[in-house]
Amino acid sequence: MIDLKLVRNETDFVKEKLATRGVEAAEIDALLAADQKRRDLIVKSETMKASRNQVSDEISQLKRNKEDASDKITQMKQVSADIKALDEQLTEVADDVYDKASRLPNIPNDNVPVGLTEDGSVELRKWGEIPDFGFKPKSHWEIGEALGILDFERGAKVSGSRFLYYIGQGARLERALYNFFLDENEKAGFTEVLPPYMVNSASMFGTGQFPKFTEDVYSLKEADETLIPTAEVPLVNYYRDDVIDTDKLPVKFTALTPAFRSEAGSAGRDTRGLIRLHQFNKVEMVQFTKPEQSWDALEMMTNHAEDLLKKLGLAHHVITLTTSDMSFTAAMTHDLEVWIPYQDKYREISSCSNCTDFQARRSHIQYRDDNGKLQYVHTLNGSGLAVGRTVAAILENYQNEDGTVNIPDVLQPYMGGQTKIVKE
């Protein structure tokens, strides 16, 4: 959540920055108008409470003097009733201010490329050779189905479209990948966490999914529980309403969890294969840092995710997303996109974002600075990596003309020394 003081004191700056994210100036004006109404009501309420205290003192004085205080008592009752009505109005207005503020995205960093679409993202670097097969490469779903390791048909029968079964060597490849990712993340200083897979609304609000993106998730109808869209949610909320010991910062967590996405608004996109599923495994990285640490932490996390792809031998590039293409909570996002031969293009496999103090304000996560004053931490998140998309990249980039798939060297120890996936 944006600091409301910043919106009040630097309104033109906030309007200019958020305009690059598609926010109309009228939204900010409406927030400021509601905020001014709230502040006016606070002053009015405090004035009336001071008046009530004065009348109460006068009543006490009259009673001590054994004088008639009935008029003053009637006056105080009316003032008390007016205060109660005013405070109820104040609560409604304060809720309206909070709701309006909670729907504004984070302010983008000055180095983020400006754009109201995904066009205009800046390529930072590129790694690896695009494979030259000498034959027409197949899609990962064709390869997986022919090998008997991916079963989309039965996934659709049991659960619906965009679900699947991993079978045999396919399941083992998925397991090899997420164990490899977790081991590498631990070497990089991340503490492994096994979090809940369902969270409450306060947690979804804290990381920015609620209230704006409720249509993108799966929630239980009769309980305040939502299936997590990413491990970022339970990892960040681990410290919700907490003050982190300064000596612990930066805190680095990693977790393997399923991710559940309704994919609202994605009809017709990636309807086949592993790219866009309703349920998939993802290894997530989350950091809590002091504000002065967060930009270096973003580059570290991005470089680490890149190293995972390098160790797997997968060609990729790193881009910085435009102001409107990055997530609602992010101040800057670097995307890693891996080469997918069948599509003849790079596809996202990791997003690494610095959310600055945006999530910390919503989740009330703080630390004490050198002067002992409470400050908001900065939070960062990044995929390390999306497992299913990595499986897709391996199947396509390591495919052979005979339909078999070579296993990257770093994964072979996780697969019992197996070097190739063949039809069972």
Side-chain angles (χ1 to χ4, degrees):
M1 184 174 292
I2 296 176
D3 184 356
L4 195 52
K5 290 181 181 178
L6 180 67
V7 182
R8 290 191 206 113
N9 299 333
E10 299 186 44
T11 304
D12 290 342
F13 166 78
V14 172
K15 285 183 176 180
E16 178 184 355
K17 298 296 284 186
L18 293 189
T20 69
R21 306 204 65 176
V23 177
E24 300 287 342
E27 293 183 57
I28 298 166
D29 290 336
L31 169 62
L32 289 172
D35 180 54
Q36 186 60 54
K37 183 177 181 180
R38 180 187 67 86
R39 296 168 76 190
D40 290 344
L41 287 172
I42 289 173
V43 172
K44 188 174 181 180
S45 176
E46 289 176 347
T47 300
M48 292 178 70
K49 287 173 182 176
S51 175
R52 181 180 60 185
N53 292 338
Q54 181 180 344
V55 172
S56 180
D57 290 342
E58 291 174 358
I59 290 171
S60 297
Q61 184 63 44
L62 287 170
K63 287 183 176 181
R64 281 196 296 272
N65 295 337
K66 298 182 179 181
E67 298 179 39
D68 182 15
S70 56
D71 289 345
K72 293 290 184 182
I73 292 173
T74 300
Q75 180 184 351
M76 188 175 70
K77 287 181 178 179
Q78 183 59 52
V79 171
S80 295
D82 291 343
I83 290 172
K84 181 180 179 182
L86 191 64
D87 284 348
E88 289 174 354
Q89 184 183 2
L90 179 58
T91 298
E92 291 180 5
V93 173
D95 288 345
D96 182 48
V97 170
Y98 200 72
D99 181 66
K100 283 181 167 60
S102 71
R103 294 175 186 274
L104 295 177
N106 201 355
I107 292 176
N109 181 272
D110 290 341
N111 293 320
V112 174
V114 174
L116 294 179
T117 67
E118 63 183 28
D119 297 331
S121 295
V122 175
E123 184 179 76
L124 299 178
R125 51 193 173 270
K126 185 183 293 185
W127 184 92
E129 295 293 327
I130 302 300
D132 182 7
F133 296 99
F135 60 90
K136 185 177 180 180
K138 294 179 180 179
S139 67
H140 64 272
W141 59 86
E142 290 178 282
I143 299 167
E145 288 173 337
L147 289 170
I149 63 173
L150 301 178
D151 195 331
F152 293 94
E153 182 178 350
R154 285 182 173 84
K157 177 184 72 174
V158 172
S159 299
S161 63
R162 300 188 182 183
F163 291 90
L164 82 153
Y165 284 90
Y166 286 87
I167 307 296
Q169 297 170 88
R172 191 168 191 181
L173 176 61
E174 175 106 352
R175 177 159 53 93
L177 274 168
Y178 58 64
N179 283 329
F180 167 67
F181 292 154
L182 289 170
D183 287 348
E184 292 297 310
N185 291 353
E186 186 177 21
K187 292 175 186 176
F190 289 84
T191 299
E192 184 177 351
V193 177
L194 184 60
Y197 297 164
M198 292 195 297
V199 295
N200 55 33
S201 296
S203 296
M204 292 292 284
F205 178 87
T207 43
Q209 283 78 16
F210 284 3
K212 198 164 185 177
F213 303 103
T214 54
E215 73 280 1
D216 294 331
V217 298
Y218 292 107
S219 295
L220 303 186
K221 289 183 178 180
E222 297 180 0
D224 181 26
E225 298 289 350
T226 295
L227 292 170
I228 60 171
T230 167
E232 171 196 345
V233 180
L235 291 181
V236 170
N237 279 279
Y238 182 82
Y239 282 117
R240 176 158 51 90
D241 298 323
D242 274 355
V243 177
I244 303 176
D245 185 344
T246 306
D247 293 337
K248 290 183 178 180
L249 294 173
V251 174
K252 300 195 289 186
F253 288 152
T254 186
L256 161 72
T257 68
F260 302 93
R261 309 274 178 91
S262 72
E263 294 293 347
S266 65
R269 298 178 61 193
D270 298 309
T271 55
R272 300 196 66 183
L274 298 168
I275 300 297
R276 199 177 296 276
L277 297 171
H278 290 308
Q279 175 191 320
F280 58 93
N281 288 321
K282 184 157 69 82
V283 175
E284 187 74 3
M285 302 177 289
V286 160
Q287 289 199 57
F288 305 84
T289 75
K290 297 177 182 178
E292 63 269 21
Q293 298 171 327
S294 66
W295 295 108
D296 287 341
L298 175 62
E299 299 309 315
M300 181 281 290
M301 193 153 52
T302 304
N303 290 334
H304 175 66
E306 239 187 309
D307 285 341
L308 297 176
L309 289 174
K310 289 178 180 178
K311 289 175 180 178
L312 290 168
L314 294 171
H316 61 275
H317 71 169
V318 183
I319 62 175
T320 301
L321 298 186
T322 64
T323 48
S324 64
D325 195 31
M326 61 186 180
S327 72
F328 176 79
T329 60
M332 176 180 279
T333 297
H334 297 322
D335 262 14
L336 280 68
E337 296 186 332
V338 68
W339 182 254
I340 301 293
Y342 181 75
Q343 296 185 4
D344 196 34
K345 65 189 295 187
Y346 292 106
R347 295 301 305 268
E348 178 201 338
I349 200 166
S350 173
S351 286
C352 296
S353 300
N354 185 355
C355 298
T356 58
D357 62 358
F358 190 84
Q359 291 179 326
R361 287 182 181 278
R362 297 170 77 97
S363 301
H364 206 68
I365 305 171
Q366 297 176 297
Y367 75 101
R368 292 192 182 277
D369 63 19
D370 293 340
N371 297 318
K373 185 178 179 181
L374 286 172
Q375 304 287 355
Y376 288 106
V377 299
H378 281 195
T379 63
L380 302 94
N381 64 80
S383 310
L385 300 165
V387 185
R389 292 191 176 198
T390 312
V391 169
I394 288 172
L395 293 181
E396 294 199 18
N397 283 277
Y398 282 90
Q399 64 179 290
N400 299 308
E401 191 170 10
D402 64 0
T404 61
V405 176
N406 297 329
I407 297 171
D409 291 346
V410 293
L411 295 183
Q412 291 175 16
Y414 293 90
M415 296 193 69
Q418 187 177 345
T419 61
K420 186 178 291 188
I421 298 175
V422 299
K423 186 173 178 60
E424 296 180 335

